[in-house]
Amino acid sequence: MRRTKFARTLVVGSALVMVGLAYAVLVPDGAAGADGPQSQQIEEGRKLFAVGCSSCHGAHAEGGTDGEGHITGPSLIGVGAAAVDFQVSTGRMPAAQTGAQVPQKPRVYTPEETAALAAYIASLAPGPAIPAEEAYDVSKATQEEVVRGGELFRTNCTACHNFSGRGGALPNGRYAPSLMETTPKNMYQAMLTGPQQMPVFSDGVFTPEDKRAVIAYLVSLQQSEDPGGFGLGRLGPVSEGLWGWLLGIGALVGVAVWIGAKTPRVKRDEQGPKG
Ligand code: HEC
Ligand code: HEC
């Protein structure tokens, strides 16, 4: 009797501890909804912007021009957090020099700094927000979704990005990049914000379901790019060839040993009765 009571108390007690731990782990710090942390983030973003972006985009992101009236950077009022996250996480911004097109490069800002910059721009005027992970998580996408995404891609995107998504040249030294390395999040954000020559595929025209389908299709293309085919350590043909070679040679050696071991005995046996 006493023991079962004690065991029950133990079970209930440890269950409570587990719930407490799960709560502490799952509920993020800022969940209290207080204004404090957020305005602090905006303030941090404003400072980062003043140092790294205002020289081209203006002191208050209103857009900037050089001494001769050429635009050094467009106004960012209303471009939204998604545009900032896309541009900064792909390393396009801060732009290094002005050319036909601002290229991708290794990102300069950490994810926290990027979030602060995005929060600052979003605080100036409403614009497309950074999508929630559910919007672009296609790990559970169905085959129909992939097929539909392929149709949408061929209708809306191949003119610039090529049938295989590997990109292509555009007039005046510009280009549509390959999409084989792009993350699902940035696929979504590119459609949402239309960087440079790319049109905006706003949610009204191209629904979130359409975007998800296209992302599911592009991710399936990226996965089928795996050069090894069987994913042998993702080393591609080299590792596959090596395995083929080892197995093949191994089999040959095995056969040779087998023949070597077998033949003399058979001969001896055959010779036996005769001799
Ligand atoms: C050397 C100048 C330069 C600097 C520095 C720079 N930008 Fe830009 N930025 C540009 C130009 C030029 C464009 C327009 C590119 C185009 O559309 O061809 C642009 C475009 C953008 C866009 C896209 C706007 C849209 O309509 O979608 C965002 C967002 C942006 N910049 C954010 C930033 C942020 C944040 C920083 C600082 C971390 C920064 N930029 C630093 C020149 C600059
Ligand atoms: C008119 C030509 C055009 C069309 C149509 C177009 N894009 Fe783009 N896309 C571009 C250009 C140009 C860029 C590069 C912009 C830049 O460098 O800032 C781009 C960039 C992208 C990127 C970012 C890639 C990276 O490496 O960061 C993605 C993702 C993308 N496009 C997806 C799509 C999808 C999906 C569609 C169809 C729904 C589409 N695009 C339609 C021209 C186009």
Side-chain angles (χ1 to χ4, degrees):
M1 252 337 247
R2 277 201 141 197
R3 277 183 99 182
T4 46
K5 219 173 183 183
F6 175 70
R8 248 185 244 156
T9 317
L10 198 68
V11 167
V12 171
S14 51
L16 282 175
V17 170
M18 295 287 273
V19 169
L21 280 178
Y23 188 80
V25 169
L26 292 177
V27 177
D29 283 343
D35 230 54
Q38 215 202 338
S39 54
Q40 209 177 313
Q41 190 186 37
I42 292 171
E43 181 53 24
E44 193 195 323
R46 198 186 58 75
K47 283 186 196 142
L48 288 168
F49 188 89
V51 175
C53 323
S54 62
S55 60
C56 293
H57 288 287
H60 306 287
E62 72 280 19
T65 50
D66 63 12
E68 289 146 32
H70 299 124
I71 290 175
T72 50
S75 164
L76 301 181
I77 311 284
V79 300
V84 176
D85 189 70
F86 172 81
Q87 298 283 344
V88 176
S89 73
T90 60
R92 287 183 168 87
M93 292 293 141
Q97 79 275 24
T98 36
Q101 185 166 338
V102 182
Q104 281 207 36
K105 59 182 180 313
R107 64 186 295 167
V108 173
Y109 292 91
T110 66
E112 291 73 33
E113 291 168 336
T114 308
L117 284 164
Y120 166 63
I121 295 298
S123 75
L124 302 175
I130 297 171
E133 197 175 335
E134 300 89 78
Y136 55 83
D137 174 16
V138 293
S139 57
K140 293 187 188 72
T142 61
Q143 194 55 36
E144 292 91 83
E145 232 177 333
V146 172
V147 170
R148 202 172 75 84
E151 282 159 12
L152 288 168
F153 187 81
R154 281 184 286 279
T155 321
N156 295 285
C157 323
T158 48
C160 298
H161 287 285
N162 195 330
F163 280 95
S164 57
R166 286 203 185 75
L170 297 174
N172 303 323
R174 295 166 193 253
Y175 58 90
S178 163
L179 305 179
M180 289 303 108
E181 304 286 333
T182 310
T183 62
K185 187 187 190 188
N186 275 333
M187 291 174 189
Y188 200 103
Q189 295 190 134
M191 288 187 267
L192 201 58
T193 64
Q196 299 186 48
Q197 302 295 292
M198 181 165 154
V200 174
F201 293 86
S202 65
D203 282 352
V205 185
F206 213 68
T207 65
E209 290 73 38
D210 292 341
K211 291 188 177 70
R212 256 178 64 95
V214 167
I215 293 168
Y217 171 72
L218 286 173
V219 167
S220 79
L221 273 190
Q222 288 180 342
Q223 285 165 352
S224 66
E225 280 256 300
D226 196 352
F230 297 115
L232 295 167
R234 287 195 157 249
L235 288 175
V238 175
S239 97
E240 218 160 85
L242 182 65
W243 278 109
W245 191 81
L246 285 176
L247 287 178
I249 292 291
L252 282 179
V253 168
V255 168
V257 168
W258 180 76
I259 291 173
K262 194 102 184 164
T263 321
R265 214 176 294 147
V266 170
K267 283 222 172 109
R268 248 180 267 128
D269 286 351
E270 277 172 356
Q271 280 164 359
K274 273 183 196 164

